[in-house]
Amino acid sequence: MSLYLGFDCSTQSLTAIVLDATDARARVVFESSLQFDTALPQYRTRHGVLPPPGTGVTGVPGVAVSSPLLWADALDTMMARVARGVDLRHLQAIAGSAQQHGSVYMNDSAVSTLGNLDVRRAPGEQLAGCLSRAVSPIWMDSSTTVECDEIARAVGGASVLAARTGSRAFERFTGPQIRRFYKNDPRAFAATDRIHLVSSFLASLLAGRHAPVDPGDASGTNLMDLETNAWWPPALEATAPSLARKLPPIAPSWTIVGEVSRYWRERHGLPPARVVAWSGDNPCSLIGTGLVREGLIAVSLGTSDTVFGLMPEPRVDRGGTGHVFGAPTGGYMALTCFANGSLAREGIRDAFGLTWSDFSAMLASTPAGNRGRVLLPWFDPEITPAVSVPGIRRYGLAADDGPGNVRGVVEAQMMSMALHSRWMGVEVKTIHATGGASANREILQVMADVFDAGVSQLAVENSACLGAALRARHADALASGQRLSWDDVVRDVVSLAPWAPGPPGPPGPSGAPKASGRFEPDPSRAAVYRELLGLYAACEAHALGR
Ligand code: XUL
């Protein structure tokens, strides 16, 4: 029997998926999630974010931090659940996915603590003494505009930085975050021995020693040279002193970091399974949505909404909106990220006291195009387009019109994604939809109509976690000297429908599309959105003062 375990440590939750690849046909045999706010209430997070005064930075606009100890304890709680649900004696390898850009700051006691955790105690309390910074800035943080400018200027401008690292400087990226920490607390920065990303921190915890970062996640720092997959010295120098010594090495996504440490073996009865390098949630989602070939895109509807696809060459977005990241296949991926995803949908739902089925019913009963009325759902600072002062904007739409606002938020999200992913140069025919809100049929129909493309709904909503489990399988095969192509890795578990167009077949093993999981665009509604996109773009430009 060959089992593979994947984790996804996202903004609000931690998920585990176990894949059984004993036979030629791999299938998901276990899936479970926990929400940070409710499963670990002692950390007092709200939607996975520490509220002031826990942040110690009360009143600083744009700051968003969480706790690395929370993530460590969540991993422990979930591991106990997995060990109860599955016979782990046959576990071959573990890999993981984590929210991108977040950073964890550890002092030099981490090396010995990671290797000698007391099996009777949870990891969080034991790791507290290893942190040189109690909190981790996460991807929702938008407080580093000044540092972004400083770094870009020092390396020769935004376009130089983008050409080299795949992105212009973005507030949430790790480099600007590190620079801000260095400027605000130079002593704590000096006491920092290792700066991990969330992904490499959790891989280190599993392996009992410092793990490398993979190019997928390292490219979300503004510090990695895309061409060499190594840290780029001019960016390091522009960011903070001695940074080269503090960052983990960058290693291919299929690197075996080590074996599961004694702590996990004794605490949860794990075998000495291989620990594979973790990656970011979007790179893992690329695998979990089956996008191992170019020309397809996926839309992930999670806390952040993202549009992404595989890219053969690193073609950087000239407009400065999107990113080029390393892909876990060894190539590249294009991505555009939108901060106002699920919390904006929830914001509208809650404002009108709706259930999700009310929300869907309103979407179904309102006309495509919302009679030309537009809502810009910038509840929080937005990444795409860059909006630093949040606030909902409405054009021709009354604030108390429930159905109009419901349609307004979904249409705005879809139109913004369609508009701001054009730089990828993909003629979109099929979209793989993933993330929590991809369970909502009415939302997916709007997606199909706005993009004028078919939408395939995958049965496993958490494609990042599925991608992590698939990466574990791929890396384990490579390490055992077997050749396993990416097509083979995803074949049984993720839908291949886009390569075999036609009506969806019966539901296959876990990842295949649900029987009803294919949405086709309606030509008359698609025509409405073709017209409306210009109006939407004009509203965006107006709201941005252009
Ligand atoms: C991607 C991004 C988010 C996070 C959170 O650049 O910031 O999608 O990875 O999931």
Side-chain angles (χ1 to χ4, degrees), residues 328-402:
T329 52
Y332 301 94
M333 64 184 284
L335 178 135
T336 305
C337 180
F338 304 82
N340 286 285
S342 65
L343 298 181
R345 289 182 284 275
E346 274 168 44
I348 294 291
R349 181 201 63 179
D350 295 346
F352 294 97
L354 308 174
T355 62
W356 281 122
S357 46
D358 300 335
F359 188 95
S360 295
M362 285 183 174
L363 258 188
S365 65
T366 41
N370 220 4
R371 299 195 183 91
R373 301 168 304 173
V374 171
L375 180 151
L376 302 178
W378 298 331
F379 284 78
D380 287 312
E382 181 49 70
I383 295 166
T384 312
V387 177
S388 52
V389 181
I392 302 169
R393 274 76 152 179
R394 291 182 178 84
Y395 291 87
L397 181 64
D400 62 356
D401 173 352

Side-chain angles (χ1 to χ4, degrees), residues 180-253:
R180 186 162 190 272
F181 176 52
Y182 155 66
K183 283 166 56 186
N184 286 354
D185 198 346
R187 280 167 63 117
F189 180 77
T192 302
D193 179 57
R194 182 56 43 105
I195 303 174
H196 275 297
L197 299 184
V198 185
S199 57
S200 60
F201 166 66
L202 291 172
S204 305
L205 181 56
L206 280 179
R209 59 169 135 127
H210 283 311
V213 287
D214 89 315
D217 225 10
S219 47
T221 61
N222 276 140
L223 297 171
M224 189 190 87
D225 186 341
L226 268 187
E227 212 164 285
T228 58
N229 280 357
W231 300 119
W232 185 42
L236 300 188
E237 278 152 36
T239 300
S242 316
L243 194 48
R245 271 195 279 118
K246 297 181 196 282
L247 292 171
I250 303 173
S253 307

